[in-house]
Amino acid sequence: MTAMPSPADLTRIRGGYDPDPARSFSLKAEAYTDAAWHDFEQQAIFARSWQWVCHVEKVREPGSYIALQVAGHPICVVRDREGELRAFYNVCKHRAHELLSGEGQTTRIMCPYHAWTYDLTGQLRRAPHTEDLPDFDLGAICLDQVQIEEFCGFVYVNLDKQAAPLAEQSGDLGAEILHWAPDASELTFGKRLTYDIQSNWKNVVDNFLECYHCPTAHKDFCSLVDMDTYKVTTHGIYSSHMADAGKGANTAYDVSNASVRTHAVWWLWPNTCLMRYPGRSSMIVLQIMPAGPDRTLETYDFYLETPEPNEAEIEAIRYINEVLQAEDIALVESVQRGMNTPAFPQGRIVHDPNGSGKSEHAVHHFHGLVLDAYDQAASA
């Protein structure tokens, strides 16, 4: 069981944070380095928030399923025979063995331990050699359900039974995504990139949420988009990051024949980033998963018009993988090393009231959500 922070801990970790980003400091370094805060976040943040699972393509057909871990818990998502999308704890009600693994198609959910068998609604249908057990009722046994939602072509789950629907929590996010990416649900999987980063997950999010570092660290990116048009807006549990494509040739990848001319990016609390880069119609999903106080696992999933990327997309994926990600990983790993020294307790937020990409107000917004999540979980 994760120890709850004391009232003194919560007061200390909030020190320096101000609701006004122009007056605020960042989160304290201990939130990025102390194992106790990392462990608490699994319960305070990841077990209470909407977590991205996959594109709806993966579970579009009846019987399709995917198994995954959410906040350290085994979860399975399945489309039942009637077409309803369901999510369960992926745990047999007999002896707690995990039921499904990986992804695929099935007509039933059978435990590989003792062959207890459930239908796709989670109802137990068969339990070998239980016919003579007193007071044993198949109909009374069902897998524990988890909240699930389809949202803008993607599937999300939430372990918190009391959580409001994602569409409700996220306000205008759905309309905003569908305005810029109306075909999101019709795209198809093209490529996955994976990364193992020696830095706290919040450092990875912080870095994503500002382009103050871009002119120094991402010179190619600053030729891909028009930095003068870069605008960052925070709303509730998300922030939007918008810019026009650069007007001339760039050093990142060729966009001369691009049908999409806007760099549109959304960060959704706490750890999902949805991106639409200049080029053909596409969506990139960045999932940022904590694996330790100083370790983060990342996936970049590319959803394209066709299963095979075209020549420009191959070059774009190469640029993101070999250049942009290499630059960002070096940055956040250096930051993590610095935070582990006594030289850095916390830093000042740089704020532009006009909301430019060179402002850190979206970082400040994220930090406020983290601190609020700490308080809410502790009080609950």
Side-chain angles (χ1 to χ4, degrees):
M1 179 178 176
T2 301
M4 285 288 178
S6 68
D9 292 331
L10 293 168
T11 298
R12 185 183 68 255
I13 205 68
R14 194 174 272 278
Y17 177 85
D18 191 291
D20 180 357
R23 298 179 179 275
S24 187
F25 283 80
S26 65
L27 275 177
K28 288 184 175 290
E30 70 173 275
Y32 298 80
T33 60
D34 190 325
W37 288 111
H38 169 266
D39 293 343
F40 179 54
E41 285 168 354
Q42 291 295 311
Q43 176 182 347
I45 295 176
F46 291 92
R48 293 167 174 259
S49 58
W50 286 96
Q51 292 292 302
W52 182 84
V53 174
C54 62
H55 191 275
V56 70
E57 169 187 59
K58 189 161 286 187
V59 287
R60 204 187 300 274
E61 299 302 320
S64 54
Y65 73 88
I66 180 171
L68 69 155
Q69 293 275 324
V70 176
H73 296 281
I75 303 297
C76 60
V77 169
V78 61
R79 181 82 66 177
D80 71 18
R81 292 175 183 270
E82 284 67 47
E84 183 175 346
L85 198 57
R86 298 178 180 271
F88 310 100
Y89 281 93
N90 191 23
V91 176
C92 185
K93 303 299 283 187
H94 173 221
R95 293 271 297 281
H97 196 284
E98 293 181 4
L99 295 164
L100 296 172
S101 60
E103 58 188 68
Q105 284 277 335
T106 188
T107 58
R108 61 186 181 173
I109 302 172
M110 188 175 77
C111 181
Y113 198 5
H114 299 99
W116 280 36
T117 303
Y118 307 80
D119 66 22
L120 299 185
T121 72
Q123 177 64 54
L124 182 65
R125 294 299 181 187
R126 179 175 180 269
H129 309 298
T130 59
E131 295 83 2
D132 297 326
L133 286 181
D135 303 320
F136 184 83
D137 180 6
L138 286 176
I141 300 174
C142 191
L143 300 178
D144 287 14
Q145 297 208 30
V146 170
Q147 284 210 72
I148 188 164
E149 192 167 337
E150 293 184 44
F151 183 78
C152 294
F154 297 100
V155 176
Y156 295 80
V157 296
N158 195 323
L159 303 187
D160 182 0
K161 294 180 180 179
Q162 306 304 318
L166 177 56
E168 178 183 319
Q169 285 192 33
S170 60
D172 293 333
L173 176 60
E176 198 172 316
I177 291 174
L178 293 178
H179 171 77
W180 294 104
D183 59 346
S185 65
E186 303 307 316
L187 298 172
T188 188
F189 177 76
K191 177 74 173 179
R192 167 170 280 195
L193 303 175
T194 60
Y195 306 93
D196 191 334
I197 303 171
Q198 304 308 300
S199 188
N200 185 271
W201 73 276
K202 296 186 297 299
N203 269 328
V204 178
V205 174
D206 287 350
N207 183 71
F208 183 89
L209 290 178
E210 50 90 357
C211 220
Y212 183 38
H213 69 282
C214 292
T216 306
H218 299 315
K219 297 188 185 302
D220 297 311
F221 179 81
C222 290
S223 68
L224 176 65
V225 304
D226 181 356
M227 290 299 295
D228 290 337
T229 66
Y230 205 120
K231 182 82 170 177
V232 178
T233 311
T234 61
H235 328 249
I237 64 166
Y238 77 97
S239 57
S240 58
H241 307 247
M242 301 289 177
D244 295 337
K247 296 181 176 64
N250 72 80
T251 56
Y253 62 91
D254 182 20
V255 295
S256 58
N257 295 317
S259 57
V260 173
R261 302 293 304 174
T262 302
H263 173 76
V265 173
W266 300 271
W267 167 79
L268 175 61
W269 163 261
N271 60 323
T272 304
C273 307
L274 305 168
M275 298 173 274
R276 191 167 170 88
Y277 274 38
R280 269 203 309 178
S281 182
S282 67
M283 288 289 284
I284 309 169
V285 180
L286 165 59
Q287 187 74 340
I288 300 167
M289 298 302 299
D294 56 359
R295 186 181 178 210
T296 299
L297 302 179
E298 262 190 0
T299 56
Y300 265 77
D301 284 345
F302 294 80
Y303 296 94
L304 311 172
E305 292 182 13
T306 56
E308 295 297 326
N310 65 19
E311 186 175 341
E313 288 163 344
I314 290 171
E315 184 59 19
I317 293 168
R318 183 208 63 79
Y319 161 70
I320 290 171
N321 184 37
E322 298 179 9
V323 180
L324 190 62
Q325 272 295 91
E327 292 167 344
D328 276 331
I329 290 170
L331 292 172
V332 298
E333 290 186 340
S334 176
V335 167
Q336 189 70 29
R337 291 191 295 270
M339 285 184 167
N340 276 296
T341 72
F344 184 84
Q346 63 188 143
R348 186 65 181 263
I349 294 291
V350 174
H351 178 240
D352 174 4
N354 295 316
S356 76
K358 297 176 184 177
S359 174
E360 295 177 323
H361 59 287
V363 178
H364 173 267
H365 171 244
F366 168 52
H367 292 178
L369 291 173
V370 169
L371 293 170
D372 288 348
Y374 288 170
D375 289 341
Q376 290 164 12
S379 64

